[in-house]
Amino acid sequence: MTYEEHYLDWVRDAYAMEKQAESILEKMAGRLEHYPDLKARIQQHIAETQQQQNMVQSVIDRYDTSSSVVKDTLGKLAAQGQAIAGMMAEDEVVKGAMSGYVFEQLEIASYTSLIAAAELIGDEEGARIFTAIREQEVAMAEWLITHLPAVTEQFLVRSAAPGVEAKK
Ligand SMILES: [Fe+2]
């Protein structure tokens, strides 16, 4: 495979990853009731994720003449499975915040690799786009890890209170 072929593959992977991110975040935000700060930050990142999809798509459009929806569909299916598994958990808000952080790390690593590939093939526009997206992923990851102690504490306090729902 050529540099460009690998690059296009990886950019398509990034698009599927952002579709998966949107699906997971939508389900989390839609279920949260008692954690307004977390819900608001997730909703902000959903808007960012939708913009990211458009930005990643613009790179695909410059390198790809065919249209591929296969990975997109697979990504959505995987996301649904994960979200459903998370909802079974009695401590879903804590597990959700943790897996959200892990997912952001995957995104950060993916864009770090994509930036290197973009620079190697001379796609300056792509490198600029992926750097901008990575900044948003870093900010989201930092917010989640910074607020994880408070989410955990709120969950424990609510769990211990009679008649108070804690899980979401
Ligand atoms: Fe993202």
Side-chain angles (χ1 to χ4, degrees):
M1 285 173 85
T2 66
Y3 282 26
E4 279 79 6
E5 284 167 340
H6 279 296
Y7 180 60
L8 179 58
D9 250 17
W10 291 338
V11 182
R12 285 206 194 101
D13 288 341
Y15 185 83
M17 179 178 70
E18 294 301 348
K19 282 289 183 187
Q20 187 179 3
E22 182 184 9
S23 177
I24 293 167
L25 294 168
E26 287 275 12
K27 286 193 178 67
M28 281 179 66
R31 287 179 58 80
L32 283 174
E33 291 169 20
H34 308 299
Y35 300 85
D37 293 352
L38 178 60
K39 184 171 179 147
R41 187 61 180 88
I42 290 173
Q43 282 168 334
Q44 180 193 330
H45 199 57
I46 289 170
E48 290 170 347
T49 298
Q50 288 164 345
Q51 291 165 5
Q52 291 170 0
Q53 288 167 10
N54 294 334
M55 291 160 82
V56 172
Q57 184 66 54
S58 76
V59 179
I60 295 172
D61 290 343
R62 283 190 294 108
Y63 281 86
D64 188 21
T65 45
S66 70
S67 67
S68 171
V69 293
V70 177
K71 282 189 173 178
D72 187 21
T73 308
L74 290 176
K76 273 182 191 160
L77 288 175
Q80 274 173 359
Q82 282 175 15
I84 289 163
M87 279 173 211
M88 299 296 140
E90 177 258 338
D91 56 349
E92 70 172 70
V93 64
V94 178
K95 292 290 193 290
M98 286 167 57
S99 41
Y101 175 76
V102 171
F103 198 93
E104 292 305 321
Q105 297 302 323
L106 171 69
E107 292 187 300
I108 291 164
S110 300
Y111 288 114
T112 299
S113 173
L114 265 179
I115 291 162
E119 285 170 352
L120 274 165
I121 70 163
D123 182 14
E124 285 174 24
E125 170 74 2
R128 189 191 61 73
I129 284 172
F130 299 134
T131 301
I133 294 176
R134 185 175 61 176
E135 279 171 22
Q136 293 180 323
E137 314 298 20
V138 167
M140 182 59 175
E142 280 178 1
W143 193 96
L144 286 170
I145 201 74
T146 303
H147 289 77
L148 185 56
V151 168
T152 305
E153 185 184 340
Q154 285 163 32
F155 169 78
L156 287 173
V157 168
R158 294 187 70 90
S159 293
V164 172
E165 186 188 51
K167 69 178 289 190
K168 57 189 173 74

